[in-house]
Amino acid sequence: WPPRRMSVISQARRRVVAVRRANAATQGEWLTRHWRDVLGIAVIVALTALVSWNNVWRIDRWVARVDIITFYLPWYAHLGEALRNFDIPGWNPHVFSGTPFAGDPQSGWAYLPAMISFTLLPPIPAMKVFAVMHLVIGGLSTYGLARVLGMGVLPALVAGAAFEFGPFMTHNTSCCTILAQIAPWIPLAMLGIELGLRARTWVGRGLAWWLTGLAISQMLAGWIGQGAYNGLIAVGSYLAYRTLVSPPAEMQAWRDRVRKVVLHGAGIFGFGFVLGAAGVLIRLDVNSATNLAGGAYDEVTERATPAWDVIGMLSRILSATNSNLKFYLGGATFALALLALLVARRRFAVPYFAALTAVVLTLTLKTTPVHRLFYLLPEYQSLHEHSAYRIVGLLWIGPAILAGATVASWTQRAHRPWAIVAAVAPLLVMLSIRDASGAVPVYDRTVWIAAMASGLLALVAVLSQPRLRQRLPTTMPFGTIVGVVLLALVFWDPTGRYLVETIDRPGAGPSLAASMARLAGTTDASGAGEYLQAQARTGQPFRYFGYDGVGLRTADREGLTYHGRRLDADVERLLVSARAMRLGLQDIQGYNPIQLARYVDVIQAINGGVKQDYHDANILPSGVRSALLDILNVRYVVIPNAAPPGRPRPDLSYLLATTREVFRNESVRVLERPSALPRAWIVHDAVEVDRDESLDLLLLGGFDPRTTALLEGDLPSLAEPVDASRDTATMTRYEDDTIRLDAQTDADGLLVLSEVYAEGWRAYVDGEPVPVYVANHVLRAVPLPAGAHVVELRYEPTSLRIGLLMTAGGLVVGLLLLMLAGRERWTSRRSGHV
């Protein structure tokens, strides 16, 4: 090489070596600077692993809890199976004779923990990983928020432990899954707000907005409605506090504060809506056609939770009964949180978290002026009063940050003369609550934990008094000692104590484990499920329902439920609740608070006008004789093999007299209904009706649905066939979102499908789009010209397509921001070291 060329090459090599050395030095500096945080995160992960091994993985009876095994697990498992096949499940054909899937607010669609865990794992392990993911997100987000607010590692660990190992732990492993799908995203959203307000570049600010937007999108995907509403209020109020009231930087002019709240609000909520659009738009679209249209509970069974009184409310957060752990804060967390305003004052956003805690607890009481203020928000009163206690999903972050703030500030305040008295104040408050509480006990073990926390703080206060402090070694690490012990107390009560108490307790026994495996499995060996699966493989699709309807609850009467008796072997073999989803069968019944309003009307009409609890769609004894079962393509009924002795069962007698037994084992019989209409048929006569007329006309029996359709809207062109018996409609493809048929008729007709009508279904005859009619109040119908045709129906809601495009765009923007941030960081390192 020429000398000049060699010089250029040498310089380039020296630059590469210099950059590598600089990067190595920077990595070393980063570890030196952040080793405490690495250790803190490792502690949270280790505690989470320990607790999860015991409470989630080993003691796994919680998976058999009613809502999990009969709703969340089958729906999430169905989602995972679809995603593994690179499919988006828009429609669910397995329950309620077909119902929206992506549009169901609890389906798991667009909710990342459900999508990830159930796509990668079988259902029961996936449910466990799903719970652990929430623990990790909640604990690490709270730790990160505390650190960004200025707390040291140990106080931040106390905050993270108070959040993760308090009531939130219970909600993940034994109760109320839906609340756990809101709570962990609140500290993550607040962390994003803090990072955004501190960012020095637009790229950093955009990444922070994106992080908060991700948290908001998951609230919307996890629990759109009451939960997301409350979560958005918490995020918005925190942003307002940190921009208008107490900015993290120096005080600014009001004009700058208002500009900042508008700018950051637009960024975080804009990203939240865009990232959540794939789940939100389709759910808003579907909601308008459901029994809870607009989020109003006015037309359903009243289940509002009675409000607590003040003493009762405080007793609940201090009562460690097994049924009350979902409210229990723990003695140490309560004591520390109570002191935060006194010792931390305005630091660490303490006024906000104290106010948040007070407001949430107040909203669990009977109506107060605070309630009236919130009821000014659209639909808030209806959502809140339906189940007031569920606002506690917002509660846990408040006491957690307050507890960490007390630990972070105590050693700085402990030398004050009032510190000793203040340290024992929480214990006195707790004793007063215990003496005043009635039905909800405050146990001595809670008082002892609070006493230990107060005693430790009092000891530090005594040792911190100036005269005594001069006699002690100046290197005594008060802060570290206090933090470690208080962390242990917060973890111990309640999660650590439960861990020790249950360390020798067995998990699900053989019987329960077998029931869980059957309910989560895809087979029903030697049972009705195996028989029906065999029939489904050999012919046209059909529907069934499992029946033992005596004593089932209704809207006006308390009673039994199939899901409540899910572990009863006799009920289990009826293939009820969502069992059809796991078996690949199609049931006309179901258990879900969200149902299409048209279908609710049909089930009520089948049951002779009897309303059910809004969660239920079951066939009651009054419904087994209904002719409307025929239009739903109910081919089979699964009943108990023998009626209870000494109890006449006219419902079972009627079914046995009007059907043909096709299967029996020691537990159940499968009956075939010969009167069921096929899945699709052709008619050449139609009558235009209003929506409210069709069911009455069908019940009166003046129209035969085999030959006449009752249509809402203008009638298509129809003609009399030469020979109606030669009309054929055969399904050649049946998938969740696509149905294809070969149809033939010698005159213009109407193809009626025993498929539930819903907006979003599109029809094509020989590839050309045609309208989809509402037939017989609840079914779909497609106009069919004379001749042989291929008919295809596809579930293609515009809201889902637009939402997917928006969310994809939001993800791309986030990736670009991440790449730009990495480029800025690499450039700054290179310019700083080369």
Side-chain angles (χ1 to χ4, degrees):
W1 295 96
R4 184 176 179 181
R5 181 68 168 170
M6 289 296 294
S7 176
V8 171
I9 294 174
S10 299
Q11 291 176 11
R13 287 174 175 169
R14 284 196 295 270
R15 287 195 184 96
V16 171
V17 172
V19 168
R20 289 177 177 173
R21 289 176 178 174
N23 288 340
T26 302
Q27 292 172 3
E29 292 172 4
W30 188 92
L31 289 174
T32 302
R33 193 166 59 249
H34 296 287
W35 70 268
R36 291 181 179 85
D37 280 315
V38 173
L39 181 60
I41 292 171
V43 169
I44 289 181
V45 171
L47 291 176
T48 303
L50 176 64
V51 171
S52 298
W53 164 77
N54 186 69
N55 296 31
V56 178
W57 219 267
R58 194 178 63 82
I59 303 178
D60 58 357
R61 293 186 298 272
W62 62 274
V63 177
R65 193 175 62 80
V66 56
D67 285 344
I68 292 178
I69 202 70
T70 63
F71 183 85
Y72 288 108
L73 187 145
W75 282 70
Y76 289 174
H78 184 74
L79 171 68
E81 289 173 358
L83 294 178
R84 279 197 295 274
N85 293 320
F86 301 99
D87 181 35
I88 295 172
W91 188 257
N92 176 5
H94 301 291
V95 291
F96 303 110
S97 298
T99 190
F101 188 95
D104 190 290
Q106 298 177 103
S107 65
W109 164 245
Y111 192 60
L112 291 177
M115 294 174 70
I116 294 170
S117 57
F118 282 85
T119 299
L120 299 177
L121 296 168
I124 290 180
M127 199 73 224
K128 298 175 182 180
V129 170
F130 177 80
V132 175
M133 290 174 72
H134 287 83
L135 294 175
V136 172
I137 293 168
L140 292 181
S141 296
T142 304
Y143 173 86
L145 176 61
R147 288 290 285 139
V148 173
L149 285 171
M151 296 185 199
V153 170
L154 276 173
L157 277 173
V158 169
F163 182 91
E164 183 178 352
F165 304 117
F168 182 60
M169 182 75 199
T170 302
H171 276 266
N172 273 275
T173 58
S174 64
C175 176
C176 318
T177 305
I178 195 69
L179 287 182
Q181 296 181 185
I182 288 294
W185 307 108
I186 294 173
L188 183 63
M190 293 176 174
L191 173 60
I193 290 173
E194 290 292 333
L195 294 174
L197 294 174
R198 289 169 166 78
R200 298 180 180 179
T201 67
W202 281 104
V203 172
R205 198 170 292 122
L207 270 177
W209 293 346
W210 193 92
L211 180 65
T212 302
L214 176 66
I216 291 173
S217 74
Q218 294 307 286
M219 294 182 202
L220 294 169
W223 185 10
I224 193 170
Q226 182 183 10
Y229 205 159
N230 286 328
L232 292 175
I233 291 173
V235 174
S237 62
Y238 187 75
L239 174 65
Y241 177 80
R242 294 300 279 164
T243 51
L244 300 177
V245 180
S246 180
E250 65 276 0
M251 299 298 287
Q252 301 167 332
W254 272 102
R255 179 181 299 177
D256 293 333
R257 297 188 189 191
V258 172
R259 181 183 61 82
K260 185 170 288 188
V261 72
V262 171
L263 176 66
H264 286 267
I268 64 175
F269 288 108
F271 268 120
F273 178 74
V274 169
L275 291 172
V280 170
L281 294 184
I282 180 64
R283 283 166 182 155
L284 294 177
D285 188 16
V286 167
N287 177 263
S288 62
T290 69
N291 56 334
L292 298 181
Y297 286 86
D298 300 335
E299 300 300 322
V300 301
T301 307
E302 178 57 41
R303 286 188 172 273
T305 302
W308 311 339
D309 56 35
V310 176
I311 296 300
M313 172 262 291
L314 294 174
S315 299
R316 282 178 181 266
I317 64 176
L318 290 172
S319 176
T321 60
N322 289 334
S323 61
N324 202 55
L325 283 177
K326 60 180 178 289
F327 305 105
Y328 181 66
L329 292 179
T333 299
F334 178 84
L336 294 172
L338 209 59
L339 288 171
L341 271 175
L342 181 63
V343 299
R345 300 181 183 178
R346 293 177 61 87
R347 299 175 63 202
F348 315 123
V350 160
Y352 171 82
F353 288 105
L356 175 67
T357 303
V359 167
V360 170
L361 292 176
T362 300
L363 287 174
T364 66
L365 304 174
K366 294 180 180 179
T367 304
T368 67
V370 175
H371 290 75
R372 296 299 180 194
L373 179 63
F374 276 83
Y375 291 167
L376 296 175
L377 299 171
E379 296 296 338
Y380 190 87
Q381 183 173 2
S382 172
L383 291 169
H384 177 73
E385 289 185 344
H386 178 71
S387 190
Y389 91 90
R390 290 181 177 173
I391 198 173
V392 298
L394 301 186
L395 172 67
W396 307 319
I397 185 58
I401 294 296
L402 294 176
T406 296
V407 176
S409 306
W410 185 254
T411 54
Q412 301 169 19
R413 305 286 185 184
H415 66 282
R416 302 295 178 88
W418 48 260
I420 300 174
V421 176
V424 299
L427 178 61
L428 298 178
V429 171
M430 185 178 293
L431 291 173
S432 300
I433 295 171
R434 183 186 67 172
D435 294 339
S437 63
V440 184
V442 178
Y443 292 121
D444 288 343
R445 58 177 178 262
T446 300
V447 176
W448 278 110
I449 293 292
M452 293 172 67
S454 290
L456 178 63
L457 296 177
L459 177 62
V460 173
V462 170
L463 297 177
S464 298
Q465 297 306 305
R467 292 183 179 179
L468 186 58
R469 182 64 174 167
Q470 294 175 358
R471 302 179 183 179
L472 297 175
T474 57
T475 58
M476 180 173 289
F478 278 139
T480 302
I481 295 173
V482 171
V484 169
V485 178
L486 289 176
L487 172 63
L489 291 176
V490 166
F491 175 75
W492 174 259
D493 186 27
T495 298
R497 185 183 67 244
Y498 179 81
L499 177 66
V500 172
E501 291 174 351
T502 60
I503 199 70
D504 295 327
R505 186 180 301 175
S511 177
L512 178 58
S515 291
M516 290 164 54
R518 284 194 298 271
L519 291 173
T522 57
T523 60
D524 181 37
S526 302
E530 184 177 71
Y531 173 81
L532 294 177
Q533 286 174 326
Q535 301 310 302
R537 289 191 293 267
T538 60
Q540 294 289 289
F542 60 82
R543 296 194 182 96
Y544 80 97
F545 67 91
Y547 177 79
D548 191 8
V550 172
L552 291 180
R553 71 180 179 186
T554 66
D556 302 320
R557 183 191 71 221
E558 292 293 329
L560 302 172
T561 63
Y562 288 134
H563 53 273
R565 295 179 291 160
R566 62 203 176 279
L567 301 178
D568 183 330
D570 293 331
V571 172
E572 178 186 315
R573 295 183 180 104
L574 293 177
L575 314 181
V576 288
S577 297
R579 190 80 185 280
M581 294 185 67
R582 299 299 300 136
L583 296 174
L585 300 173
Q586 298 182 18
D587 192 354
I588 69 167
Q589 301 182 131
Y591 166 59
N592 190 351
I594 300 291
Q595 302 173 34
L596 291 175
R598 288 181 180 274
Y599 197 71
V600 173
D601 296 340
V602 170
I603 293 295
Q604 183 175 325
I606 287 174
N607 289 321
V610 179
K611 290 185 177 181
Q612 298 184 62
D613 180 280
Y614 74 106
H615 293 82
D616 304 335
N618 295 315
I619 304 302
L620 304 177
S622 57
V624 295
R625 299 172 182 264
S626 176
L628 291 179
L629 293 172
D630 294 339
I631 69 170
L632 294 181
N633 183 229
V634 179
R635 182 65 52 80
Y636 298 101
V637 183
V638 183
I639 65 171
N641 193 14
R647 294 176 57 189
R649 291 290 299 271
D651 51 343
L652 295 181
S653 298
Y654 172 81
L655 288 172
L656 289 169
T658 57
T659 60
R660 181 171 67 95
E661 182 180 308
V662 292
F663 174 84
R664 179 194 293 201
N665 63 15
E666 70 280 1
S667 303
V668 297
R669 305 184 194 191
V670 177
L671 309 178
E672 184 175 16
R673 299 180 69 255
S675 60
L677 271 73
R679 201 51 167 267
W681 65 97
I682 299 172
V683 302
H684 294 273
D685 184 29
V687 177
E688 183 178 348
V689 297
D690 294 330
R691 175 170 176 168
D692 297 334
E693 293 181 308
S694 53
L695 283 177
D696 291 336
L697 292 173
L698 287 168
L699 289 171
L700 290 173
F703 294 90
D704 184 355
R706 292 170 175 78
T707 59
T708 303
L710 305 179
L711 298 185
E712 298 175 18
D714 297 335
L715 300 181
S717 174
L718 300 175
E720 285 294 327
V722 176
D723 185 0
S725 64
R726 297 177 62 183
D727 289 350
T728 60
T730 305
M731 289 192 175
T732 58
R733 178 184 177 188
Y734 194 98
E735 298 175 355
D736 290 359
D737 298 333
T738 303
I739 300 172
R740 185 176 298 161
L741 306 93
D742 289 337
Q744 182 169 343
T745 179
D746 59 17
D748 292 350
L750 191 72
L751 178 65
V752 180
L753 296 98
S754 183
E755 299 289 343
V756 173
Y757 176 85
E759 294 290 340
W761 278 98
R762 307 283 184 263
Y764 305 86
V765 175
D766 298 327
E768 296 296 324
V770 295
V772 179
Y773 289 86
V774 183
N776 303 335
H777 189 77
V778 74
L779 304 183
R780 302 175 217 151
V782 176
L784 193 67
H789 305 282
V790 175
V791 182
E792 187 167 271
L793 286 90
R794 298 197 292 265
Y795 190 56
E796 301 172 329
T798 303
S799 54
L800 181 58
R801 186 166 58 250
I802 294 175
L804 285 168
L805 291 174
M806 293 177 64
T807 297
L811 293 173
V812 170
V813 171
L815 181 61
L816 290 175
L817 287 171
L818 189 62
M819 293 171 63
L820 289 173
R823 183 175 180 275
E824 285 184 355
R825 187 173 181 83
W826 184 83
T827 302
S828 64
R829 284 182 178 179
R830 184 176 181 184
S831 61
H833 293 281
V834 179

